[in-house]
Coordinates of all heavy atoms in Angstrom, one line a residue:
M1 N 11.1 0.8 -13.7 CA 10.3 0.6 -15.0 C 10.9 1.5 -16.0 O 11.1 2.7 -15.7 CB 8.8 0.8 -14.8 CG 8.1 0.9 -16.1 SD 6.9 -0.2 -16.7 CE 6.5 -1.4 -15.5
D2 N 11.1 1.0 -17.2 CA 11.7 1.8 -18.3 C 10.4 2.4 -19.1 O 10.0 1.6 -19.9 CB 12.6 1.0 -19.1 CG 13.2 1.8 -20.3 OD1 13.0 3.0 -20.4 OD2 13.8 1.2 -21.2
F3 N 10.1 3.6 -19.0 CA 8.9 4.1 -19.7 C 9.3 4.5 -21.1 O 8.3 4.8 -21.8 CB 8.4 5.3 -18.9 CG 7.8 4.9 -17.6 CD1 8.4 5.2 -16.3 CD2 6.5 4.2 -17.5 CE1 7.8 4.8 -15.2 CE2 6.0 3.8 -16.3 CZ 6.6 4.2 -15.2
S4 N 10.6 4.5 -21.4 CA 10.9 4.9 -22.8 C 10.8 3.7 -23.8 O 10.7 3.9 -24.9 CB 12.4 5.3 -22.9 OG 13.3 4.2 -22.5
N5 N 10.6 2.4 -23.2 CA 10.4 1.3 -24.1 C 8.9 1.0 -24.3 O 8.3 0.6 -23.3 CB 11.1 0.1 -23.5 CG 11.0 -1.2 -24.3 OD1 10.4 -1.2 -25.3 ND2 11.6 -2.2 -23.8
P6 N 8.3 1.3 -25.4 CA 6.9 1.0 -25.7 C 6.5 -0.5 -25.6 O 5.3 -0.8 -25.5 CB 6.7 1.6 -27.0 CG 7.8 1.5 -27.7 CD 8.9 1.6 -26.8
F7 N 7.5 -1.4 -25.6 CA 7.3 -2.8 -25.5 C 7.5 -3.3 -24.2 O 7.5 -4.6 -24.0 CB 8.0 -3.5 -26.6 CG 7.8 -3.0 -28.0 CD1 8.7 -2.2 -28.6 CD2 6.6 -3.2 -28.7 CE1 8.6 -1.7 -29.9 CE2 6.4 -2.7 -29.9 CZ 7.3 -1.9 -30.5
G8 N 7.8 -2.5 -23.3 CA 8.4 -3.0 -21.9 C 7.3 -3.8 -21.1 O 7.7 -4.5 -20.3
T9 N 6.0 -3.6 -21.3 CA 5.1 -4.3 -20.5 C 4.5 -5.5 -21.4 O 3.5 -6.2 -20.8 CB 3.9 -3.4 -20.2 OG1 3.3 -2.8 -21.3 CG2 4.4 -2.3 -19.2
M10 N 4.9 -5.8 -22.5 CA 4.5 -6.8 -23.4 C 5.2 -8.1 -23.0 O 6.4 -8.1 -22.6 CB 4.7 -6.6 -24.9 CG 3.8 -5.3 -25.3 SD 4.1 -5.0 -26.9 CE 3.0 -6.2 -27.7
V11 N 4.5 -9.2 -23.0 CA 5.1 -10.5 -22.6 C 5.0 -11.5 -23.8 O 4.0 -11.5 -24.5 CB 4.4 -11.1 -21.3 CG1 4.7 -10.3 -20.1 CG2 3.0 -11.3 -21.5
P12 N 6.1 -12.3 -23.9 CA 6.1 -13.2 -25.0 C 5.4 -14.6 -24.8 O 5.0 -15.2 -25.7 CB 7.6 -13.5 -25.3 CG 8.2 -13.3 -23.9 CD 7.4 -12.3 -23.2
R13 N 5.0 -14.7 -23.5 CA 4.3 -16.0 -23.3 C 3.7 -16.0 -21.9 O 4.0 -15.0 -21.1 CB 5.3 -17.2 -23.4 CG 6.4 -17.2 -22.3 CD 7.2 -18.4 -22.3 NE 8.4 -18.4 -21.4 CZ 8.3 -18.5 -20.1 NH1 7.1 -18.8 -19.5 NH2 9.3 -18.3 -19.2
K14 N 2.8 -17.0 -21.6 CA 2.3 -17.0 -20.2 C 3.2 -17.7 -19.3 O 4.2 -18.5 -19.6 CB 1.0 -17.9 -20.3 CG 0.0 -17.4 -21.2 CD -0.7 -16.1 -20.8 CE -1.9 -15.8 -21.7 NZ -2.5 -14.6 -21.3
M15 N 3.1 -17.4 -18.0 CA 4.0 -17.9 -17.0 C 3.5 -19.3 -16.6 O 2.3 -19.6 -16.7 CB 3.9 -17.1 -15.7 CG 4.5 -15.6 -16.0 SD 4.5 -14.7 -14.3 CE 2.8 -14.1 -14.4
N16 N 4.4 -20.2 -16.2 CA 4.0 -21.4 -15.6 C 3.8 -21.1 -14.0 O 3.9 -20.0 -13.6 CB 5.1 -22.5 -15.9 CG 6.4 -22.2 -15.1 OD1 6.5 -21.6 -14.0 ND2 7.5 -22.5 -15.8
A17 N 3.3 -22.2 -13.3 CA 3.0 -22.0 -12.0 C 4.0 -21.4 -11.1 O 3.9 -20.6 -10.2 CB 2.4 -23.4 -11.4
G18 N 5.3 -22.0 -11.4 CA 6.4 -21.6 -10.5 C 6.8 -20.1 -10.8 O 7.1 -19.3 -9.8
E19 N 6.7 -19.7 -12.1 CA 7.0 -18.4 -12.4 C 6.0 -17.4 -11.9 O 6.3 -16.3 -11.5 CB 7.1 -18.3 -14.0 CG 8.3 -19.0 -14.5 CD 8.3 -19.2 -16.0 OE1 7.2 -19.1 -16.6 OE2 9.3 -19.4 -16.7
L20 N 4.7 -17.9 -11.9 CA 3.6 -17.1 -11.4 C 3.8 -16.8 -9.9 O 3.7 -15.6 -9.4 CB 2.3 -17.7 -11.6 CG 1.1 -16.9 -11.0 CD1 0.9 -15.5 -11.6 CD2 -0.2 -17.7 -11.4
A21 N 4.2 -17.8 -9.1 CA 4.5 -17.6 -7.7 C 5.5 -16.6 -7.4 O 5.5 -15.7 -6.6 CB 4.8 -18.9 -7.0
R22 N 6.7 -16.8 -8.2 CA 7.7 -15.7 -8.1 C 7.4 -14.4 -8.5 O 7.7 -13.4 -7.9 CB 8.9 -16.2 -9.0 CG 9.6 -17.5 -8.4 CD 10.7 -18.0 -9.1 NE 11.8 -17.0 -9.3 CZ 13.0 -17.2 -10.0 NH1 13.2 -18.4 -10.6 NH2 13.9 -16.3 -10.1
A23 N 6.5 -14.2 -9.6 CA 6.0 -12.8 -10.0 C 5.1 -12.3 -8.8 O 5.2 -11.1 -8.5 CB 5.2 -13.0 -11.1
I24 N 4.4 -13.1 -8.1 CA 3.6 -12.5 -7.0 C 4.5 -12.2 -5.8 O 4.3 -11.1 -5.2 CB 2.6 -13.7 -6.5 CG1 1.6 -14.0 -7.6 CG2 1.9 -13.1 -5.3 CD1 0.7 -12.8 -8.1
M25 N 5.7 -12.8 -5.6 CA 6.6 -12.3 -4.7 C 7.1 -11.0 -5.0 O 7.2 -10.2 -4.2 CB 7.8 -13.4 -4.6 CG 7.5 -14.6 -3.9 SD 9.0 -15.7 -3.9 CE 8.2 -17.2 -3.3
Q26 N 7.4 -10.8 -6.3 CA 7.8 -9.5 -6.8 C 6.7 -8.4 -6.6 O 7.0 -7.3 -6.2 CB 8.2 -9.5 -8.3 CG 9.5 -10.3 -8.5 CD 9.8 -10.3 -10.1 OE1 8.9 -10.7 -10.8 NE2 11.0 -9.9 -10.5
D27 N 5.4 -8.8 -6.8 CA 4.4 -7.9 -6.5 C 4.3 -7.5 -5.1 O 4.0 -6.3 -4.8 CB 3.1 -8.5 -7.1 CG 3.0 -8.7 -8.6 OD1 3.8 -8.0 -9.3 OD2 2.3 -9.5 -9.1
I28 N 4.5 -8.4 -4.2 CA 4.5 -8.1 -2.7 C 5.6 -7.1 -2.4 O 5.4 -6.2 -1.7 CB 4.6 -9.4 -2.0 CG1 3.4 -10.3 -2.1 CG2 4.9 -9.2 -0.5 CD1 3.6 -11.7 -1.5
A29 N 6.8 -7.4 -3.0 CA 7.9 -6.5 -2.8 C 7.5 -5.1 -3.3 O 7.9 -4.0 -2.6 CB 9.2 -7.0 -3.4
A30 N 6.9 -5.0 -4.5 CA 6.6 -3.7 -5.0 C 5.6 -3.0 -4.1 O 5.6 -1.8 -4.0 CB 6.1 -3.9 -6.4
E31 N 4.6 -3.7 -3.6 CA 3.5 -3.1 -2.8 C 4.2 -2.6 -1.5 O 3.9 -1.5 -1.0 CB 2.5 -4.2 -2.4 CG 1.7 -4.7 -3.5 CD 0.8 -3.6 -4.2 OE1 0.8 -2.6 -3.7 OE2 0.3 -3.9 -5.3
L32 N 5.2 -3.4 -0.9 CA 5.9 -2.9 0.3 C 6.7 -1.7 0.0 O 6.8 -0.7 0.8 CB 6.8 -4.0 0.9 CG 6.0 -5.1 1.5 CD1 6.9 -6.3 1.9 CD2 5.2 -4.7 2.8
D33 N 7.3 -1.6 -1.1 CA 8.1 -0.5 -1.6 C 7.3 0.7 -1.7 O 7.6 1.9 -1.3 CB 8.8 -0.8 -3.0 CG 9.8 0.2 -3.3 OD1 10.7 0.5 -2.3 OD2 9.9 0.7 -4.4
A34 N 6.0 0.5 -2.3 CA 5.1 1.6 -2.4 C 4.7 2.1 -1.0 O 4.6 3.5 -0.8 CB 3.8 1.2 -3.2
V35 N 4.5 1.3 -0.1 CA 4.1 1.7 1.3 C 5.1 2.6 1.9 O 4.8 3.7 2.5 CB 3.8 0.5 2.2 CG1 3.8 0.9 3.7 CG2 2.6 -0.3 1.8
A36 N 6.4 2.1 1.8 CA 7.5 2.9 2.3 C 7.7 4.2 1.6 O 8.0 5.3 2.2 CB 8.8 2.1 2.1
L37 N 7.5 4.2 0.3 CA 7.6 5.5 -0.5 C 6.5 6.5 -0.1 O 6.8 7.7 0.2 CB 7.4 5.1 -2.0 CG 7.5 6.4 -2.9 CD1 8.9 7.0 -2.9 CD2 7.2 5.9 -4.4
Y38 N 5.2 6.1 -0.1 CA 4.2 7.0 0.4 C 4.4 7.5 1.8 O 4.2 8.7 2.1 CB 2.9 6.3 0.2 CG 2.5 5.9 -1.2 CD1 1.6 4.9 -1.5 CD2 3.1 6.5 -2.3 CE1 1.3 4.5 -2.8 CE2 2.8 6.1 -3.6 CZ 1.8 5.1 -3.8 OH 1.6 4.7 -5.1
Q39 N 4.8 6.6 2.6 CA 5.1 7.0 4.1 C 6.2 8.1 4.1 O 6.1 9.1 4.8 CB 5.4 5.9 4.9 CG 5.5 6.3 6.4 CD 4.2 6.8 7.0 OE1 3.2 6.2 6.9 NE2 4.3 8.1 7.4
A40 N 7.2 7.9 3.3 CA 8.3 8.8 3.3 C 7.8 10.2 2.8 O 8.3 11.2 3.3 CB 9.5 8.3 2.4
H41 N 7.0 10.2 1.8 CA 6.5 11.4 1.3 C 5.5 12.1 2.3 O 5.4 13.3 2.4 CB 5.7 11.1 -0.1 CG 6.7 10.8 -1.1 ND1 6.2 10.3 -2.4 CD2 8.0 10.8 -1.1 CE1 7.4 10.0 -3.1 NE2 8.4 10.3 -2.4
I42 N 4.8 11.3 3.0 CA 3.8 11.9 4.1 C 4.8 12.5 5.1 O 4.5 13.7 5.6 CB 3.1 10.8 4.7 CG1 2.0 10.2 3.8 CG2 2.4 11.3 6.1 CD1 1.4 8.9 4.3
D43 N 5.8 11.9 5.5 CA 6.8 12.5 6.5 C 7.5 13.8 6.0 O 7.9 14.5 6.8 CB 7.8 11.4 6.9 CG 7.2 10.2 7.6 OD1 6.0 10.3 8.1 OD2 7.9 9.1 7.7
A44 N 7.6 13.9 4.7 CA 8.4 14.9 4.1 C 7.6 16.1 3.8 O 8.1 17.1 3.1 CB 9.1 14.5 2.9
T45 N 6.3 16.2 4.0 CA 5.5 17.4 3.7 C 4.5 17.7 4.9 O 4.3 16.9 5.8 CB 4.6 17.1 2.5 OG1 4.0 18.3 2.2 CG2 3.6 16.1 2.8
D46 N 4.2 19.1 4.9 CA 3.2 19.6 5.9 C 1.8 19.9 5.2 O 1.1 20.3 5.9 CB 3.8 20.8 6.5 CG 5.0 20.6 7.5 OD1 5.0 19.5 8.1 OD2 5.8 21.4 7.5
D47 N 1.9 19.5 3.9 CA 0.6 19.8 3.1 C -0.5 18.8 3.6 O -0.4 17.4 3.4 CB 0.8 19.7 1.7 CG -0.4 20.0 0.9 OD1 -1.5 19.4 1.0 OD2 -0.3 21.0 0.1
E48 N -1.5 19.2 4.4 CA -2.4 18.2 5.0 C -3.2 17.4 3.9 O -3.6 16.3 4.1 CB -3.3 19.0 5.9 CG -2.6 19.4 7.2 CD -2.0 18.3 7.9 OE1 -2.5 17.1 8.0 OE2 -0.8 18.4 8.4
Q49 N -3.6 18.1 2.8 CA -4.3 17.4 1.7 C -3.5 16.3 1.1 O -4.0 15.2 0.8 CB -4.7 18.4 0.6 CG -5.8 19.3 1.1 CD -6.4 20.2 0.1 OE1 -5.7 20.8 -0.7 NE2 -7.7 20.4 -0.1
A50 N -2.2 16.6 0.9 CA -1.4 15.7 0.2 C -1.1 14.4 1.2 O -1.2 13.3 0.9 CB 0.0 16.2 -0.1
K51 N -0.9 14.8 2.6 CA -0.8 13.7 3.5 C -2.0 12.8 3.5 O -1.8 11.6 3.6 CB -0.6 14.3 4.9 CG 0.7 14.9 5.2 CD 0.7 15.5 6.6 CE 2.0 16.0 7.0 NZ 2.9 14.9 7.5
K52 N -3.2 13.4 3.4 CA -4.4 12.6 3.5 C -4.5 11.7 2.3 O -4.8 10.5 2.5 CB -5.6 13.5 3.5 CG -6.9 13.0 3.9 CD -8.0 14.0 4.1 CE -9.3 13.4 4.6 NZ -10.2 14.5 4.9
V53 N -4.2 12.2 1.0 CA -4.3 11.4 -0.1 C -3.2 10.3 -0.1 O -3.5 9.1 -0.4 CB -4.1 12.2 -1.4 CG1 -4.0 11.3 -2.6 CG2 -5.4 13.2 -1.6
L54 N -1.9 10.7 0.3 CA -0.9 9.7 0.4 C -1.1 8.6 1.4 O -0.9 7.4 1.2 CB 0.4 10.4 0.7 CG 1.0 11.2 -0.5 CD1 2.0 12.2 0.0 CD2 1.7 10.3 -1.4
A55 N -1.7 8.9 2.5 CA -2.1 8.1 3.6 C -3.2 7.1 3.1 O -3.1 5.8 3.4 CB -2.6 8.6 4.9
H56 N -4.1 7.5 2.3 CA -5.1 6.7 1.8 C -4.5 5.7 0.8 O -4.8 4.4 0.8 CB -6.2 7.5 1.1 CG -7.3 6.7 0.3 ND1 -8.3 6.1 1.0 CD2 -7.5 6.4 -1.0 CE1 -9.1 5.5 0.1 NE2 -8.5 5.6 -1.0
A57 N -3.6 6.1 -0.1 CA -2.9 5.2 -1.0 C -2.0 4.3 -0.3 O -2.0 3.1 -0.6 CB -2.1 6.2 -2.0
R58 N -1.3 4.7 0.8 CA -0.5 3.8 1.5 C -1.3 2.7 2.1 O -0.9 1.6 2.1 CB 0.3 4.7 2.6 CG 1.1 3.8 3.6 CD 1.2 4.5 5.0 NE -0.1 4.7 5.6 CZ -0.3 5.7 6.4 NH1 0.5 6.5 6.9 NH2 -1.6 5.8 6.9
D59 N -2.5 3.1 2.7 CA -3.2 2.0 3.3 C -3.8 1.0 2.3 O -3.9 -0.2 2.6 CB -4.4 2.6 4.2 CG -3.8 3.4 5.3 OD1 -2.6 3.2 5.7 OD2 -4.5 4.2 5.9
D60 N -4.1 1.5 1.1 CA -4.5 0.6 0.0 C -3.4 -0.4 -0.3 O -3.7 -1.6 -0.5 CB -5.0 1.4 -1.2 CG -6.3 2.0 -1.2 OD1 -7.0 1.8 -0.2 OD2 -6.6 2.9 -2.1
E61 N -2.2 0.2 -0.4 CA -1.1 -0.7 -0.7 C -0.8 -1.7 0.4 O -0.5 -2.9 0.1 CB 0.2 0.0 -0.9 CG 0.2 1.2 -1.9 CD -0.4 0.8 -3.3 OE1 -0.6 -0.4 -3.6 OE2 -0.6 1.7 -4.1
K62 N -1.1 -1.4 1.6 CA -0.9 -2.3 2.7 C -1.9 -3.5 2.5 O -1.7 -4.6 2.8 CB -1.1 -1.6 4.1 CG 0.0 -0.8 4.6 CD -0.3 -0.1 5.8 CE 0.9 0.7 6.3 NZ 0.7 1.3 7.7
E63 N -3.1 -3.1 2.1 CA -4.1 -4.1 1.9 C -3.7 -5.1 0.7 O -3.9 -6.3 0.8 CB -5.5 -3.4 1.6 CG -6.6 -4.3 1.6 CD -8.0 -3.6 1.5 OE1 -8.1 -2.5 2.0 OE2 -8.9 -4.1 0.7
H64 N -3.2 -4.4 -0.3 CA -2.7 -5.2 -1.4 C -1.6 -6.3 -1.0 O -1.5 -7.4 -1.5 CB -2.1 -4.4 -2.6 CG -3.2 -3.5 -3.2 ND1 -2.9 -2.3 -3.9 CD2 -4.5 -3.4 -3.0 CE1 -3.9 -1.8 -4.3 NE2 -5.0 -2.3 -3.8
V65 N -0.7 -5.8 0.0 CA 0.3 -6.8 0.5 C -0.4 -8.1 1.0 O 0.0 -9.1 0.6 CB 1.2 -6.1 1.6 CG1 2.0 -7.2 2.3 CG2 2.0 -4.9 1.1
G66 N -1.4 -7.9 1.8 CA -2.2 -8.9 2.4 C -2.8 -9.8 1.2 O -2.9 -11.0 1.4
E67 N -3.4 -9.2 0.3 CA -4.2 -9.9 -0.8 C -3.1 -10.8 -1.6 O -3.3 -11.9 -1.8 CB -4.8 -8.8 -1.8 CG -6.0 -8.2 -1.1 CD -6.6 -7.1 -1.9 OE1 -5.9 -6.7 -3.1 OE2 -7.5 -6.5 -1.6
F68 N -1.9 -10.1 -1.9 CA -0.9 -10.9 -2.7 C -0.4 -12.0 -1.9 O 0.0 -13.1 -2.3 CB 0.2 -10.0 -3.2 CG -0.3 -9.2 -4.4 CD1 0.1 -7.9 -4.6 CD2 -1.1 -9.8 -5.4 CE1 -0.3 -7.2 -5.7 CE2 -1.5 -9.1 -6.5 CZ -1.2 -7.7 -6.7
L69 N -0.2 -11.7 -0.6 CA 0.4 -12.8 0.4 C -0.6 -13.9 0.5 O -0.2 -15.1 0.4 CB 0.6 -12.3 1.7 CG 1.4 -13.0 2.8 CD1 2.7 -13.5 2.1 CD2 1.7 -12.3 4.0
A70 N -1.9 -13.7 0.6 CA -3.0 -14.7 0.6 C -2.9 -15.5 -0.8 O -3.0 -16.8 -0.8 CB -4.3 -14.1 0.8
L71 N -2.7 -14.8 -1.9 CA -2.6 -15.5 -3.1 C -1.4 -16.4 -3.2 O -1.4 -17.5 -3.7 CB -2.7 -14.4 -4.3 CG -2.4 -15.0 -5.7 CD1 -3.6 -16.0 -6.0 CD2 -2.5 -14.0 -6.7
L72 N -0.3 -15.8 -2.7 CA 1.0 -16.6 -2.8 C 0.9 -17.9 -2.0 O 1.4 -19.0 -2.3 CB 2.2 -15.8 -2.1 CG 3.5 -16.4 -2.1 CD1 3.9 -16.8 -3.6 CD2 4.5 -15.5 -1.5
E73 N 0.3 -17.7 -0.8 CA 0.0 -19.0 0.0 C -0.8 -20.1 -0.7 O -0.6 -21.2 -0.5 CB -0.6 -18.6 1.3 CG 0.4 -17.9 2.3 CD -0.2 -17.5 3.6 OE1 -1.4 -17.7 3.8 OE2 0.6 -17.0 4.4
I74 N -1.7 -19.6 -1.6 CA -2.6 -20.6 -2.3 C -1.7 -21.2 -3.5 O -1.7 -22.3 -3.7 CB -3.8 -19.9 -2.9 CG1 -4.7 -19.5 -1.8 CG2 -4.5 -20.7 -4.0 CD1 -5.8 -18.4 -2.2
L75 N -0.9 -20.3 -4.2 CA -0.2 -20.7 -5.3 C 1.1 -21.5 -5.0 O 1.5 -22.4 -5.8 CB 0.3 -19.5 -6.1 CG -0.8 -18.6 -6.8 CD1 -0.1 -17.5 -7.4 CD2 -1.6 -19.5 -7.8
D76 N 1.6 -21.3 -3.7 CA 2.9 -22.0 -3.3 C 2.7 -22.5 -1.9 O 3.1 -21.9 -0.9 CB 4.0 -20.9 -3.5 CG 5.3 -21.6 -3.1 OD1 5.5 -22.7 -2.7 OD2 6.4 -20.9 -3.4
P77 N 2.0 -23.7 -1.8 CA 1.8 -24.3 -0.5 C 3.1 -24.5 0.4 O 3.1 -24.3 1.6 CB 1.3 -25.6 -0.7 CG 0.6 -25.4 -2.2 CD 1.5 -24.5 -2.9
K78 N 4.2 -24.7 -0.3 CA 5.5 -24.8 0.4 C 5.9 -23.5 1.1 O 6.3 -23.4 2.3 CB 6.6 -25.3 -0.6 CG 7.8 -25.9 0.1 CD 7.6 -27.5 0.2 CE 8.8 -28.0 0.6 NZ 8.7 -29.3 1.3
Q79 N 5.7 -22.4 0.4 CA 6.0 -21.1 1.0 C 5.0 -20.8 2.1 O 5.4 -20.2 3.1 CB 5.8 -20.0 -0.1 CG 6.1 -18.6 0.3 CD 7.4 -18.3 1.0 OE1 8.4 -18.7 0.3 NE2 7.6 -17.9 2.2
A80 N 3.8 -21.2 1.9 CA 2.8 -21.0 3.0 C 3.2 -21.7 4.2 O 3.0 -21.2 5.4 CB 1.4 -21.5 2.6
E81 N 3.9 -22.9 4.2 CA 4.4 -23.6 5.3 C 5.5 -22.8 6.0 O 5.5 -22.7 7.2 CB 4.9 -25.0 5.0 CG 3.7 -26.0 4.7 CD 2.9 -26.2 6.0 OE1 3.5 -26.5 7.1 OE2 1.7 -26.2 5.9
Y82 N 6.4 -22.2 5.2 CA 7.5 -21.4 5.8 C 6.8 -20.2 6.5 O 7.4 -19.8 7.5 CB 8.4 -20.9 4.7 CG 9.4 -22.0 4.2 CD1 9.3 -22.6 2.9 CD2 10.4 -22.5 5.0 CE1 10.1 -23.5 2.5 CE2 11.3 -23.6 4.6 CZ 11.1 -24.0 3.4 OH 12.1 -24.9 2.9
I83 N 5.9 -19.6 6.0 CA 5.3 -18.4 6.5 C 4.6 -18.8 7.9 O 4.8 -18.2 8.9 CB 4.2 -17.8 5.6 CG1 4.8 -17.2 4.4 CG2 3.3 -16.8 6.4 CD1 4.0 -16.8 3.3
K84 N 3.9 -20.0 7.9 CA 3.3 -20.4 9.1 C 4.3 -20.8 10.1 O 4.2 -20.4 11.3 CB 2.4 -21.7 8.7 CG 1.7 -22.3 9.9 CD 0.8 -23.4 9.4 CE 0.1 -24.1 10.5 NZ -0.7 -25.4 10.1
K85 N 5.5 -21.4 9.7 CA 6.5 -21.8 10.6 C 7.1 -20.6 11.2 O 7.4 -20.5 12.4 CB 7.6 -22.6 9.9 CG 8.6 -23.2 10.8 CD 9.6 -24.0 9.9 CE 10.7 -24.6 10.7 NZ 11.8 -25.2 9.9
G86 N 7.4 -19.6 10.4 CA 7.9 -18.3 10.9 C 7.1 -17.6 11.9 O 7.5 -17.2 13.0
K87 N 5.8 -17.7 11.8 CA 4.9 -17.1 12.7 C 4.9 -17.8 14.0 O 4.9 -17.2 15.0 CB 3.4 -17.1 12.1 CG 3.3 -16.0 11.0 CD 1.8 -16.0 10.5 CE 1.7 -14.9 9.4 NZ 0.2 -15.0 8.9
V88 N 4.9 -19.0 13.9 CA 4.9 -19.9 15.2 C 6.3 -19.6 15.9 O 6.2 -19.5 17.2 CB 4.9 -21.4 14.8 CG1 5.1 -22.3 16.0 CG2 3.4 -21.8 14.2
E89 N 7.4 -19.5 15.2 CA 8.7 -19.3 15.8 C 8.7 -18.1 16.6 O 9.2 -17.9 17.6 CB 9.8 -19.4 14.8 CG 10.1 -20.9 14.4 CD 11.3 -20.9 13.4 OE1 12.0 -19.9 13.2 OE2 11.5 -22.0 12.7
I90 N 8.2 -17.0 15.9 CA 8.1 -15.7 16.5 C 7.2 -15.7 17.8 O 7.5 -15.1 18.8 CB 7.7 -14.6 15.5 CG1 8.7 -14.5 14.4 CG2 7.4 -13.3 16.3 CD1 10.2 -14.0 15.0
A91 N 6.0 -16.3 17.7 CA 5.1 -16.3 18.8 C 5.8 -17.0 20.0 O 5.7 -16.5 21.1 CB 3.9 -17.1 18.4
E92 N 6.6 -18.1 19.7 CA 7.3 -18.8 20.8 C 8.4 -18.0 21.3 O 8.6 -18.0 22.5 CB 7.8 -20.3 20.2 CG 6.6 -21.2 19.9 CD 7.2 -22.5 19.3 OE1 8.4 -22.6 18.9 OE2 6.4 -23.4 19.1
L93 N 9.1 -17.4 20.5 CA 10.2 -16.5 20.9 C 9.7 -15.3 21.8 O 10.3 -15.1 22.9 CB 10.9 -15.8 19.7 CG 12.1 -14.8 20.1 CD1 13.3 -15.6 20.5 CD2 12.3 -14.0 18.8
L94 N 8.6 -14.8 21.4 CA 8.0 -13.7 22.3 C 7.4 -14.2 23.6 O 7.3 -13.5 24.5 CB 7.1 -12.9 21.5 CG 7.7 -12.1 20.2 CD1 6.7 -11.3 19.5 CD2 8.8 -11.2 20.7
E95 N 7.0 -15.5 23.6 CA 6.4 -16.0 24.8 C 7.5 -16.6 25.6 O 7.3 -17.0 26.8 CB 5.5 -17.2 24.4 CG 4.2 -16.7 23.8 CD 3.3 -17.9 23.2 OE1 3.7 -19.1 23.4 OE2 2.4 -17.7 22.5
G96 N 8.8 -16.5 25.2 CA 9.9 -17.0 26.0 C 10.1 -18.4 26.0 O 10.7 -19.0 26.9
K97 N 9.5 -19.2 25.1 CA 9.8 -20.7 25.0 C 11.1 -21.0 24.4 O 11.7 -20.4 23.6 CB 8.6 -21.3 24.1 CG 7.3 -21.2 24.7 CD 6.2 -21.9 23.9 CE 4.9 -21.8 24.6 NZ 3.8 -22.4 23.8
Ligands
LIG101 FE1 -1.1 -1.8 -4.9

């Protein structure tokens, strides 16, 4: 994010349905990035108070991943099918089928 641009968060129009689904995908990626970032900071300090706050924030972000994924499945039923198919394939792979 470019914090030097005061217009950086302004949008010229509303998103259509396809654009919204893609935006939610970006939001999921950002949440996962935050989880990894907070975990890296937890691993890189011995300050117990900081670890506690970072772990709390990390776990909130993990929950946000689930919330956005659930929203994506509602907004993009085709993507929901791919997610379902992937879960089935992994379950079968791990069961040795
Ligand atoms: Fe979040």
Side-chain angles (χ1 to χ4, degrees):
M1 164 116 9
D2 178 9
F3 292 107
S4 65
N5 179 0
F7 306 104
T9 58
M10 298 179 76
V11 294
R13 63 175 176 78
K14 302 289 186 181
M15 295 180 278
N16 64 34
E19 291 166 338
L20 176 58
R22 289 177 62 177
I24 296 302
M25 288 181 188
Q26 289 178 304
D27 292 336
I28 291 168
E31 298 294 350
L32 289 170
D33 193 44
V35 169
L37 179 67
Y38 297 156
Q39 186 60 55
H41 294 169
I42 290 166
D43 295 343
T45 185
D46 289 326
D47 185 303
E48 289 304 320
Q49 287 183 317
K51 281 180 176 282
K52 195 171 187 175
V53 172
L54 286 162
H56 176 77
R58 176 206 57 207
D59 293 346
D60 281 351
E61 305 307 353
K62 287 181 177 183
E63 193 172 321
H64 296 164
V65 171
E67 291 170 353
F68 284 141
L69 193 54
L71 177 59
L72 180 62
E73 289 181 352
I74 292 167
L75 296 174
D76 187 346
K78 202 87 169 153
Q79 179 62 54
E81 282 299 312
Y82 284 114
I83 292 168
K84 186 177 175 184
K85 187 177 172 188
K87 287 181 179 179
V88 168
E89 285 182 12
I90 292 301
E92 289 174 354
L93 178 70
L94 296 178
E95 290 171 8
K97 290 184 181 177

